[in-house]
Structures are given as structure tokens and as C-alpha cells.
Amino acid sequence: MAGRNHLYIPGPTNVPNEVLNAMHVPMEDHRSPIFPKLLTPLLEDLKKVFNTTTGQAFIFPATGTAGWEVAFTNVLNPGDKVLVYRFGQFAHLWAEMGKRLGFDVEIHQEDWGKGIPLDKLEARLKEDTSHEIKAVLATQNETSTGVTSDIAGVRKALDAANHPAFLFVDGVSSVGSIEFRMDDWGVDAIISGSQKGFMLPAGGAFLGFSAKALKAVETSTYPRCFLDLKDQITTNATGYTPYTPNLPILYGLRKSLDLMFAEGLDNIYARHARLGEGVRRAVAAWGLTTCAQEGFHSNTVTAVVVPADKDAREVISTAFNRYNISLGGGLSEVMGKVFRIGHMGDMNDVSMLGAIAGTEMAMLDCGFDIKAGSGVGAAIEYYRATAK
């Protein structure tokens, strides 16, 4: 098929040409005297993206899933109780990891389409007068449902309950795209990945830990080796890594961060909010609804609910095979019920109009009762009215 595949999934995202070119480097000695000139500034600049001056950033040649495990095994102790609200596939998987690693996972089920219920969280924390709960696991952006939770509100709930639990945040599909403030929100561990807002291939876990969390690392008795933060802390202090780094990811990250800082983080957040709103207006013009309920809409991905007599998988297949665009599928409880449009990373107005047009064509081919051009038209009007 002529032309390139258009990637409109919630990760991996499109990699800018500048980043691809920066990654095209020969291999080099990662123990050379000049390697710290690459690594040390990267760790400092990640702190800027996390919005922390008091925390410490780390890079693992791994994925966000490994980042969950780093937080569990470095900060907590075997058998510790952790609290999680299950409202999507990734909150579910994080909870399942906790159980497999031997932690006491307290799971509260919520509707898939909502986020963390702050009132329930605060009430549960106030009940825990003996402070058995050692950590709250919060997924900031749940890509399976297109839902964003209020992490500042989670911190307020912890403070209102005067509870000392650690706050761990999955920011894999939010950091670098949606506002995140580690210090202001009292986050103890932030987990992010290279393949989303950072506009890189998968293979980099970018993490941040608070001083409180790092202090707990010293007394944690959980067995660990490759994912041990102590090894990172020791070697990072000299500008090196404890094992072979993923050099192309590091060079790509340097260029990606340069692009992000040139645009400005606040401008990036505003761009994602605007692109997401355009997609939501298109969905409304189609006469369809989003999986995310009011107040929980994500600015990086929209999960579109299909009519009961339709299968979202047919839309995804048609879009790919006929029009060479990739849409995200529904996961677990929403499989076949939703398709997902990613609007994260290296995207602009025209990118999103292409996604909306291709999706419209696929839905029309699948017999959806929508008017051709309705979603595209609604998005065009919004983007034109808000363009700068």
C-alpha cells in the first residue's frame, strides 16, 4: 500500500525524524571518560519533566512494567499492604503484579470509565488508623478507557487522612503530555516509559523517587538484583550505569528532551488538551460516546464506545487494511466494545484530522449510522477557532 502507516494508537507513538536521526549512532564505550557528559544531564533534565527538585531520576533499559516492579521491590517490604482502585486494564495489571510479588493487595473495583474516587479513598485511609496500608497505587492515565485521574486530589486525600502511605504513580501515558508535578503533589515514585510522551521506541523506563522513598530503599528487605536502585544510585553518582545501557535510547532521549523544552512543557500540556478536545467533539458529532465519563477525559487517548450491534474490532481491522491507519483496540472488559484514538506525542491538528477522517471512513464501511464528514467538520471548526 502506498504511503506510510499512520499510527494513532496510545503508544508507541510516532517518533520524530530528529529523534530517529539522533538514535542512529555507532556503538561506543559506555565506560569511557566522556559517557557521563551524556547520562548526567539526562538524569537532571528528567527531573524537570517530573517537576521535582528534591527527588532523583533514574533510567532503566526496560519498560514501564519494570518500573512498577522497581517501586514495589525497592521501597516496600515483603507482605506489605498496598491499596489500588481497579478501573482499567493497567490498574488491573499493576495490582496483579503486586499479588504475584507477594504483597497484600487491597483492590477496590470501580466502573471502567471513571478514575480514582477521591472521597472513597479518603474515607478508606481514615479507617486505616493503624496505617497498615503502606502504599497507594495510582494510575494517572488509564489508556484502556481513556481516563485521567486527579493525582493532586489523591495527595489531598492522603493529607486529609494524615496517612503516611507512599504514593506511587503510573505516569507511563501521561508524563510529558499531561501536567504532572512530583514535588507539588507529594509523589514518592513516578513511573514513565520512553514510548509515549517522550516520543521514543519502547525500551526505556524513566523513573523518579522522592527523598522519602529513597530513604526506605535503605531498609527494604525485598530481594532484588537487576532492578536494585542502590546499584543505580552508586553508579549514577559517578556518571555511569551499573550495567550496559541502551545507548540509542539515551541519544534519542537527549534529542526528545531538547524538542520538549523548546516547545515548553506548559505548551505541550495545552496542545494535548486541545487535540483531545477536538477528537471528543468529533465523537459527539458522530452521535457516539466515550468510555470516559464526564470529568475523567484523557488528553492523550480517547476510547470510543461503539453501538451494541457493532464490534469495535471490525472498525480497527477495516481502518488498518483499507486505509493504513492504526487504531487502538479495547482491552479486557471493553474488548470489542471500544476502539481507541491516540493523540499523544508528535501530533498536530492535521495529524488528528487524518485520524478522524480515516476512522470515519472505516465506520462508514462497517455500516455505522453516521454522516460522512461530520466528525471531521466538528474537529475542523474547533481547531480553527482555537488555532494560534
Side-chain angles (χ1 to χ4, degrees):
M1 184 180 293
R4 66 176 178 84
N5 174 258
H6 294 265
L7 196 61
Y8 299 119
I9 60 175
T13 64
N14 296 288
V15 180
N17 286 334
E18 300 97 318
V19 175
L20 288 172
N21 291 337
M23 295 177 66
H24 191 201
V25 293
M27 290 299 95
E28 64 182 61
D29 177 10
H30 58 281
R31 301 294 178 217
S32 74
I34 64 170
F35 181 77
K37 294 181 180 179
L38 172 64
L39 181 66
T40 301
L42 288 176
L43 295 173
E44 287 302 310
D45 284 346
L46 280 176
K47 291 170 60 176
K48 298 175 185 176
V49 179
F50 295 149
N51 276 297
T52 180
T53 58
T54 60
Q56 186 169 347
F58 300 92
I59 299 173
F60 281 84
T63 65
T65 303
W68 292 343
E69 190 164 336
V70 171
F72 271 137
T73 60
N74 282 268
V75 179
L76 304 178
N77 290 293
D80 277 353
K81 179 187 283 291
V82 298
L83 174 67
V84 61
Y85 286 88
R86 181 185 181 273
F87 51 86
Q89 179 66 2
F90 293 95
H92 166 77
L93 291 173
W94 201 0
E96 288 300 303
M97 173 186 283
K99 290 193 287 186
R100 291 174 65 176
L101 291 174
F103 294 98
D104 179 7
V105 184
E106 181 179 318
I107 302 174
H108 293 264
Q109 304 289 343
E110 290 294 323
D111 293 341
W112 284 36
K114 294 183 178 180
I116 298 171
L118 301 179
D119 53 347
K120 294 180 183 179
L121 172 62
E122 182 178 331
R124 177 64 188 96
L125 292 170
K126 286 180 176 178
E127 289 176 358
D128 184 32
T129 55
S130 59
H131 297 160
E132 292 181 359
I133 297 170
K134 302 304 180 184
V136 173
L137 313 182
T139 303
Q140 183 179 20
N141 194 75
E142 178 56 71
T143 52
S144 65
T145 55
V147 160
T148 296
S149 287
D150 180 2
I151 301 302
V154 174
R155 168 46 59 191
K156 290 178 182 177
L158 281 158
D159 291 345
N162 194 28
H163 202 290
F166 293 102
L167 174 54
F168 295 169
V169 176
D170 174 347
V172 173
S173 60
S174 59
V175 171
S177 304
I178 297 173
E179 183 177 28
F180 181 81
R181 299 193 175 279
M182 184 174 178
D183 286 355
D184 292 347
W185 299 346
V187 174
D188 294 299
I190 174 62
I191 296 104
S192 65
S194 56
Q195 77 277 19
K196 308 274 188 173
F198 287 98
M199 305 176 292
L200 291 162
F206 306 147
L207 315 175
F209 287 82
S210 70
K212 174 185 172 184
L214 292 176
K215 185 176 180 180
V217 172
E218 297 300 319
T219 57
S220 170
T221 60
Y222 202 99
R224 53 193 185 267
C225 182
F226 178 75
L227 301 179
D228 196 335
L229 279 178
K230 287 184 179 179
D231 295 338
Q232 290 275 9
I233 292 168
T234 299
T235 53
N236 287 175
T238 64
Y240 295 94
T241 59
Y243 29 68
T244 306
N246 187 334
L247 280 167
I249 289 287
L250 296 184
Y251 278 104
L253 177 60
R254 179 65 274 155
K255 177 55 69 173
S256 177
L257 289 170
D258 291 344
L259 293 174
M260 292 169 71
F261 294 149
E263 182 175 0
L265 291 177
D266 288 341
N267 293 328
I268 290 174
Y269 305 150
R271 172 167 57 83
H272 281 80
R274 184 169 164 275
L275 294 177
E277 178 61 21
V279 173
R280 292 188 288 271
R281 293 196 179 203
V283 174
W286 292 329
L288 301 178
T289 60
T290 63
C291 184
Q293 297 186 25
E294 194 62 37
F296 292 104
H297 288 115
S298 167
N299 287 329
T300 60
V301 57
T302 297
V304 184
V305 180
V306 301
D309 63 339
K310 300 296 182 183
D311 189 330
R313 289 168 289 193
E314 293 184 8
V315 177
I316 296 165
S317 176
T318 301
F320 186 85
N321 290 314
R322 290 191 180 180
Y323 305 115
N324 203 16
I325 72 170
S326 293
L327 301 174
L331 303 174
S332 186
E333 293 185 14
V334 293
M335 183 178 292
K337 300 177 182 178
V338 307
F339 62 84
R340 297 177 294 154
I341 301 174
H343 31 88
M344 183 190 338
D346 189 29
M347 293 281 187
N348 59 23
D349 297 6
V350 176
S351 303
M352 295 321 307
L353 290 171
I356 294 166
T359 301
E360 267 192 19
M361 291 192 290
M363 287 193 294
L364 287 165
D365 292 348
C366 292
F368 279 60
D369 184 18
I370 62 173
K371 182 180 179 180
S374 57
V376 174
I380 284 175
E381 289 305 313
Y382 175 74
Y383 290 148
R384 288 182 62 236
T386 57
K388 294 182 179 180

Short mmCIF file of all heavy atoms in Angstrom, two decimals, residues 9-57:
data_model
loop_
_atom_site.label_atom_id
_atom_site.label_comp_id
_atom_site.label_asym_id
_atom_site.label_seq_id
_atom_site.Cartn_x
_atom_site.Cartn_y
_atom_site.Cartn_z
N ILE A 9 -2.39 5.07 17.81
CA ILE A 9 -2.63 4.25 18.99
C ILE A 9 -2.04 4.97 20.21
O ILE A 9 -1.23 5.87 20.05
CB ILE A 9 -2.01 2.84 18.84
CG1 ILE A 9 -0.49 2.93 18.63
CG2 ILE A 9 -2.66 2.10 17.67
CD1 ILE A 9 0.20 1.59 18.57
N PRO A 10 -2.45 4.56 21.40
CA PRO A 10 -1.92 5.24 22.60
C PRO A 10 -0.56 4.72 23.02
O PRO A 10 -0.30 4.49 24.20
CB PRO A 10 -3.00 4.93 23.65
CG PRO A 10 -3.58 3.63 23.23
CD PRO A 10 -3.56 3.64 21.73
N GLY A 11 0.31 4.50 22.09
CA GLY A 11 1.66 4.07 22.35
C GLY A 11 1.92 2.67 21.82
O GLY A 11 1.07 1.80 21.98
N PRO A 12 3.09 2.46 21.15
CA PRO A 12 4.10 3.50 20.94
C PRO A 12 3.58 4.61 20.04
O PRO A 12 2.72 4.39 19.20
CB PRO A 12 5.26 2.74 20.30
CG PRO A 12 4.62 1.56 19.65
CD PRO A 12 3.49 1.18 20.54
N THR A 13 4.15 5.80 20.24
CA THR A 13 3.73 6.97 19.47
C THR A 13 4.71 7.21 18.33
O THR A 13 5.74 6.54 18.22
CB THR A 13 3.65 8.21 20.37
OG1 THR A 13 4.97 8.52 20.87
CG2 THR A 13 2.71 7.99 21.55
N ASN A 14 4.37 8.16 17.49
CA ASN A 14 5.25 8.50 16.37
C ASN A 14 6.57 9.07 16.87
O ASN A 14 6.58 9.90 17.79
CB ASN A 14 4.56 9.53 15.47
CG ASN A 14 3.29 8.97 14.84
OD1 ASN A 14 3.35 8.15 13.94
ND2 ASN A 14 2.15 9.42 15.32
N VAL A 15 7.65 8.64 16.28
CA VAL A 15 8.98 9.13 16.64
C VAL A 15 9.39 10.21 15.64
O VAL A 15 9.48 9.93 14.44
CB VAL A 15 10.01 7.99 16.66
CG1 VAL A 15 11.39 8.51 17.04
CG2 VAL A 15 9.58 6.88 17.61
N PRO A 16 9.65 11.44 16.08
CA PRO A 16 10.06 12.50 15.16
C PRO A 16 11.34 12.14 14.42
O PRO A 16 12.21 11.43 14.95
CB PRO A 16 10.28 13.71 16.08
CG PRO A 16 9.49 13.41 17.31
CD PRO A 16 9.55 11.92 17.47
N ASN A 17 11.47 12.64 13.20
CA ASN A 17 12.67 12.36 12.41
C ASN A 17 13.94 12.80 13.13
O ASN A 17 14.98 12.13 13.06
CB ASN A 17 12.58 13.05 11.05
CG ASN A 17 11.60 12.37 10.11
OD1 ASN A 17 11.35 11.17 10.24
ND2 ASN A 17 11.04 13.12 9.18
N GLU A 18 13.87 13.93 13.82
CA GLU A 18 15.05 14.42 14.53
C GLU A 18 15.52 13.42 15.58
O GLU A 18 16.72 13.24 15.81
CB GLU A 18 14.76 15.76 15.21
CG GLU A 18 14.34 16.87 14.27
CD GLU A 18 12.84 17.03 14.20
OE1 GLU A 18 12.14 16.00 14.16
OE2 GLU A 18 12.37 18.18 14.20
N VAL A 19 14.54 12.76 16.22
CA VAL A 19 14.88 11.78 17.25
C VAL A 19 15.42 10.50 16.60
O VAL A 19 16.40 9.92 17.07
CB VAL A 19 13.64 11.47 18.12
CG1 VAL A 19 13.94 10.35 19.11
CG2 VAL A 19 13.19 12.73 18.86
N LEU A 20 14.80 10.08 15.51
CA LEU A 20 15.31 8.90 14.80
C LEU A 20 16.74 9.12 14.35
O LEU A 20 17.59 8.22 14.48
CB LEU A 20 14.42 8.61 13.58
CG LEU A 20 13.03 8.04 13.85
CD1 LEU A 20 12.22 8.00 12.56
CD2 LEU A 20 13.11 6.65 14.47
N ASN A 21 17.02 10.29 13.82
CA ASN A 21 18.38 10.59 13.36
C ASN A 21 19.37 10.61 14.52
O ASN A 21 20.51 10.15 14.39
CB ASN A 21 18.41 11.94 12.63
CG ASN A 21 17.68 11.91 11.32
OD1 ASN A 21 17.51 10.84 10.72
ND2 ASN A 21 17.24 13.07 10.84
N ALA A 22 18.92 11.13 15.66
CA ALA A 22 19.81 11.19 16.82
C ALA A 22 20.14 9.81 17.35
O ALA A 22 21.21 9.60 17.95
CB ALA A 22 19.16 12.03 17.93
N MET A 23 19.24 8.86 17.13
CA MET A 23 19.46 7.49 17.61
C MET A 23 20.36 6.69 16.69
O MET A 23 20.84 5.62 17.08
CB MET A 23 18.12 6.78 17.76
CG MET A 23 17.21 7.37 18.82
SD MET A 23 15.61 6.53 18.90
CE MET A 23 16.12 4.91 19.46
N HIS A 24 20.57 7.18 15.48
CA HIS A 24 21.38 6.46 14.50
C HIS A 24 22.85 6.75 14.75
O HIS A 24 23.48 7.57 14.08
CB HIS A 24 20.97 6.87 13.09
CG HIS A 24 21.56 6.01 12.03
ND1 HIS A 24 21.68 6.40 10.72
CD2 HIS A 24 22.05 4.74 12.07
CE1 HIS A 24 22.24 5.44 10.01
NE2 HIS A 24 22.48 4.42 10.81
N VAL A 25 23.39 6.09 15.76
CA VAL A 25 24.77 6.34 16.19
C VAL A 25 25.53 5.02 16.25
O VAL A 25 24.95 3.95 16.49
CB VAL A 25 24.81 7.01 17.59
CG1 VAL A 25 24.23 8.41 17.52
CG2 VAL A 25 24.06 6.17 18.62
N PRO A 26 26.83 5.07 16.02
CA PRO A 26 27.64 3.86 16.21
C PRO A 26 27.74 3.52 17.69
O PRO A 26 27.56 4.38 18.55
CB PRO A 26 29.00 4.25 15.63
CG PRO A 26 29.05 5.74 15.79
CD PRO A 26 27.65 6.22 15.60
N MET A 27 27.97 2.27 17.98
CA MET A 27 28.14 1.87 19.38
C MET A 27 29.44 2.47 19.93
O MET A 27 30.40 2.71 19.20
CB MET A 27 28.16 0.36 19.51
CG MET A 27 26.80 -0.29 19.25
SD MET A 27 25.50 0.25 20.39
CE MET A 27 24.71 1.60 19.47
N GLU A 28 29.42 2.70 21.23
CA GLU A 28 30.58 3.33 21.85
C GLU A 28 30.83 2.70 23.22
O GLU A 28 29.99 1.94 23.74
CB GLU A 28 30.37 4.83 21.99
CG GLU A 28 29.23 5.20 22.91
CD GLU A 28 29.02 6.71 22.99
OE1 GLU A 28 28.74 7.33 21.96
OE2 GLU A 28 29.13 7.25 24.11
N ASP A 29 31.92 3.03 23.81
CA ASP A 29 32.29 2.52 25.13
C ASP A 29 31.51 3.26 26.20
O ASP A 29 31.73 4.46 26.42
CB ASP A 29 33.80 2.71 25.33
CG ASP A 29 34.27 2.26 26.69
OD1 ASP A 29 33.47 1.63 27.42
OD2 ASP A 29 35.43 2.57 27.04
N HIS A 30 30.60 2.55 26.88
CA HIS A 30 29.80 3.21 27.92
C HIS A 30 30.57 3.31 29.25
O HIS A 30 29.99 3.72 30.25
CB HIS A 30 28.48 2.46 28.13
CG HIS A 30 28.65 1.02 28.51
ND1 HIS A 30 28.95 0.05 27.59
CD2 HIS A 30 28.56 0.39 29.71
CE1 HIS A 30 29.04 -1.12 28.20
NE2 HIS A 30 28.81 -0.94 29.49
N ARG A 31 31.84 2.96 29.22
CA ARG A 31 32.71 3.18 30.37
C ARG A 31 33.79 4.23 30.05
O ARG A 31 34.75 4.39 30.80
CB ARG A 31 33.40 1.87 30.80
CG ARG A 31 32.44 0.76 31.17
CD ARG A 31 31.65 1.07 32.41
NE ARG A 31 30.69 0.03 32.74
CZ ARG A 31 29.49 0.26 33.25
NH1 ARG A 31 29.09 1.50 33.46
NH2 ARG A 31 28.66 -0.73 33.52
N SER A 32 33.61 4.91 28.94
CA SER A 32 34.61 5.89 28.53
C SER A 32 34.54 7.13 29.42
O SER A 32 33.53 7.37 30.09
CB SER A 32 34.39 6.30 27.07
OG SER A 32 33.26 7.16 26.99
N PRO A 33 35.59 7.94 29.41
CA PRO A 33 35.59 9.16 30.24
C PRO A 33 34.52 10.17 29.84
O PRO A 33 34.17 11.04 30.64
CB PRO A 33 37.00 9.74 30.01
CG PRO A 33 37.82 8.59 29.54
CD PRO A 33 36.90 7.72 28.76
N ILE A 34 33.98 10.08 28.60
CA ILE A 34 33.02 11.09 28.15
C ILE A 34 31.57 10.66 28.35
O ILE A 34 30.66 11.48 28.18
CB ILE A 34 33.26 11.47 26.67
CG1 ILE A 34 33.00 10.25 25.77
CG2 ILE A 34 34.65 12.04 26.48
CD1 ILE A 34 32.99 10.60 24.28
N PHE A 35 31.32 9.41 28.71
CA PHE A 35 29.94 8.95 28.84
C PHE A 35 29.14 9.76 29.86
O PHE A 35 27.94 10.04 29.62
CB PHE A 35 29.90 7.46 29.21
CG PHE A 35 28.50 6.91 29.34
CD1 PHE A 35 27.75 6.61 28.21
CD2 PHE A 35 27.93 6.71 30.58
CE1 PHE A 35 26.46 6.13 28.32
CE2 PHE A 35 26.64 6.22 30.71
CZ PHE A 35 25.90 5.92 29.56
N PRO A 36 29.72 10.17 30.98
CA PRO A 36 28.93 10.98 31.93
C PRO A 36 28.38 12.27 31.34
O PRO A 36 27.38 12.80 31.83
CB PRO A 36 29.94 11.27 33.05
CG PRO A 36 30.89 10.11 33.01
CD PRO A 36 31.04 9.81 31.55
N LYS A 37 29.02 12.78 30.28
CA LYS A 37 28.53 14.01 29.66
C LYS A 37 27.17 13.78 28.98
O LYS A 37 26.41 14.72 28.76
CB LYS A 37 29.53 14.52 28.64
CG LYS A 37 30.85 14.99 29.25
CD LYS A 37 31.80 15.52 28.19
CE LYS A 37 33.11 15.99 28.81
NZ LYS A 37 34.07 16.49 27.77
N LEU A 38 26.87 12.51 28.66
CA LEU A 38 25.56 12.15 28.11
C LEU A 38 24.57 11.85 29.22
O LEU A 38 23.46 12.41 29.25
CB LEU A 38 25.70 10.94 27.18
CG LEU A 38 24.39 10.32 26.67
CD1 LEU A 38 23.62 11.32 25.79
CD2 LEU A 38 24.67 9.03 25.90
N LEU A 39 24.95 10.97 30.15
CA LEU A 39 24.00 10.47 31.13
C LEU A 39 23.61 11.49 32.19
O LEU A 39 22.41 11.67 32.49
CB LEU A 39 24.57 9.22 31.82
CG LEU A 39 23.64 8.59 32.87
CD1 LEU A 39 22.39 8.04 32.21
CD2 LEU A 39 24.37 7.51 33.66
N THR A 40 24.57 12.16 32.77
CA THR A 40 24.27 13.05 33.91
C THR A 40 23.28 14.15 33.56
O THR A 40 22.31 14.37 34.31
CB THR A 40 25.58 13.63 34.48
OG1 THR A 40 26.43 12.54 34.91
CG2 THR A 40 25.29 14.54 35.66
N PRO A 41 23.44 14.85 32.43
CA PRO A 41 22.43 15.85 32.07
C PRO A 41 21.05 15.25 31.81
O PRO A 41 20.03 15.90 32.08
CB PRO A 41 23.00 16.51 30.81
CG PRO A 41 24.47 16.25 30.87
CD PRO A 41 24.60 14.90 31.51
N LEU A 42 21.00 14.03 31.29
CA LEU A 42 19.71 13.38 31.06
C LEU A 42 18.96 13.17 32.37
O LEU A 42 17.75 13.43 32.47
CB LEU A 42 19.90 12.03 30.36
CG LEU A 42 20.32 12.05 28.90
CD1 LEU A 42 20.55 10.63 28.40
CD2 LEU A 42 19.28 12.76 28.04
N LEU A 43 19.66 12.71 33.39
CA LEU A 43 19.03 12.48 34.69
C LEU A 43 18.54 13.78 35.29
O LEU A 43 17.46 13.83 35.91
CB LEU A 43 20.01 11.77 35.62
CG LEU A 43 20.44 10.36 35.20
CD1 LEU A 43 21.53 9.84 36.12
CD2 LEU A 43 19.25 9.41 35.19
N GLU A 44 19.31 14.84 35.12
CA GLU A 44 18.88 16.14 35.65
C GLU A 44 17.69 16.69 34.87
O GLU A 44 16.77 17.27 35.45
CB GLU A 44 20.05 17.13 35.60
CG GLU A 44 21.11 16.86 36.65
CD GLU A 44 20.54 16.88 38.07
OE1 GLU A 44 19.84 17.85 38.41
OE2 GLU A 44 20.78 15.91 38.82
N ASP A 45 17.69 16.50 33.56
CA ASP A 45 16.59 17.02 32.75
C ASP A 45 15.30 16.23 32.94
O ASP A 45 14.21 16.79 32.79
CB ASP A 45 17.00 17.06 31.28
CG ASP A 45 17.94 18.22 30.96
OD1 ASP A 45 18.06 19.13 31.81
OD2 ASP A 45 18.54 18.23 29.88
N LEU A 46 15.41 14.95 33.25
CA LEU A 46 14.20 14.18 33.55
C LEU A 46 13.52 14.75 34.79
O LEU A 46 12.28 14.75 34.89
CB LEU A 46 14.54 12.70 33.78
CG LEU A 46 14.73 11.85 32.52
CD1 LEU A 46 15.17 10.44 32.91
CD2 LEU A 46 13.45 11.80 31.69
N LYS A 47 14.29 15.24 35.73
CA LYS A 47 13.71 15.86 36.92
C LYS A 47 12.86 17.07 36.55
O LYS A 47 11.83 17.35 37.18
CB LYS A 47 14.80 16.24 37.91
CG LYS A 47 15.50 15.06 38.56
CD LYS A 47 16.74 15.47 39.36
CE LYS A 47 16.42 16.43 40.47
NZ LYS A 47 17.61 16.76 41.29
N LYS A 48 13.26 17.78 35.51
CA LYS A 48 12.48 18.92 35.06
C LYS A 48 11.14 18.47 34.49
O LYS A 48 10.11 19.12 34.71
CB LYS A 48 13.25 19.71 34.00
CG LYS A 48 14.56 20.31 34.48
CD LYS A 48 15.31 20.97 33.33
CE LYS A 48 16.69 21.47 33.77
NZ LYS A 48 17.46 22.02 32.62
N VAL A 49 11.14 17.36 33.77
CA VAL A 49 9.88 16.84 33.22
C VAL A 49 8.98 16.34 34.34
O VAL A 49 7.76 16.51 34.30
CB VAL A 49 10.16 15.71 32.20
CG1 VAL A 49 8.86 15.14 31.65
CG2 VAL A 49 11.03 16.23 31.05
N PHE A 50 9.59 15.71 35.36
CA PHE A 50 8.81 15.23 36.50
C PHE A 50 8.39 16.38 37.42
O PHE A 50 7.56 16.20 38.29
CB PHE A 50 9.63 14.23 37.32
CG PHE A 50 9.97 12.95 36.60
CD1 PHE A 50 11.15 12.27 36.91
CD2 PHE A 50 9.15 12.43 35.64
CE1 PHE A 50 11.48 11.09 36.27
CE2 PHE A 50 9.47 11.25 34.98
CZ PHE A 50 10.64 10.58 35.30
N ASN A 51 8.98 17.54 37.23
CA ASN A 51 8.74 18.70 38.10
C ASN A 51 9.14 18.40 39.54
O ASN A 51 8.34 18.49 40.48
CB ASN A 51 7.27 19.15 38.03
CG ASN A 51 7.02 20.08 36.85
OD1 ASN A 51 7.57 21.17 36.78
ND2 ASN A 51 6.21 19.62 35.92
N THR A 52 10.41 18.03 39.70
CA THR A 52 10.95 17.81 41.03
C THR A 52 12.33 18.42 41.15
O THR A 52 13.13 18.37 40.21
CB THR A 52 11.03 16.31 41.38
OG1 THR A 52 11.56 16.15 42.69
CG2 THR A 52 11.91 15.54 40.40
N THR A 53 12.59 19.02 42.30
CA THR A 53 13.94 19.47 42.63
C THR A 53 14.50 18.67 43.79
O THR A 53 15.70 18.67 44.04
CB THR A 53 13.94 20.97 43.00
OG1 THR A 53 13.06 21.18 44.11
CG2 THR A 53 13.50 21.82 41.82
N THR A 54 13.62 17.97 44.49
CA THR A 54 14.03 17.22 45.68
C THR A 54 14.15 15.72 45.42
O THR A 54 14.75 15.01 46.21
CB THR A 54 13.03 17.44 46.82
OG1 THR A 54 11.74 16.98 46.41
CG2 THR A 54 12.93 18.91 47.18
N GLY A 55 13.57 15.24 44.31
CA GLY A 55 13.64 13.82 44.01
C GLY A 55 14.84 13.48 43.16
O GLY A 55 15.67 14.33 42.82
N GLN A 56 14.94 12.20 42.79
CA GLN A 56 16.05 11.72 41.97
C GLN A 56 15.50 10.90 40.82
O GLN A 56 14.58 10.10 41.00
CB GLN A 56 17.02 10.87 42.81
CG GLN A 56 18.29 10.46 42.06
CD GLN A 56 19.34 9.86 42.97
OE1 GLN A 56 19.24 9.96 44.20
NE2 GLN A 56 20.36 9.24 42.40
N ALA A 57 16.04 11.11 39.63
CA ALA A 57 15.59 10.40 38.43
C ALA A 57 16.51 9.23 38.12
O ALA A 57 17.71 9.26 38.43
CB ALA A 57 15.53 11.36 37.25
#
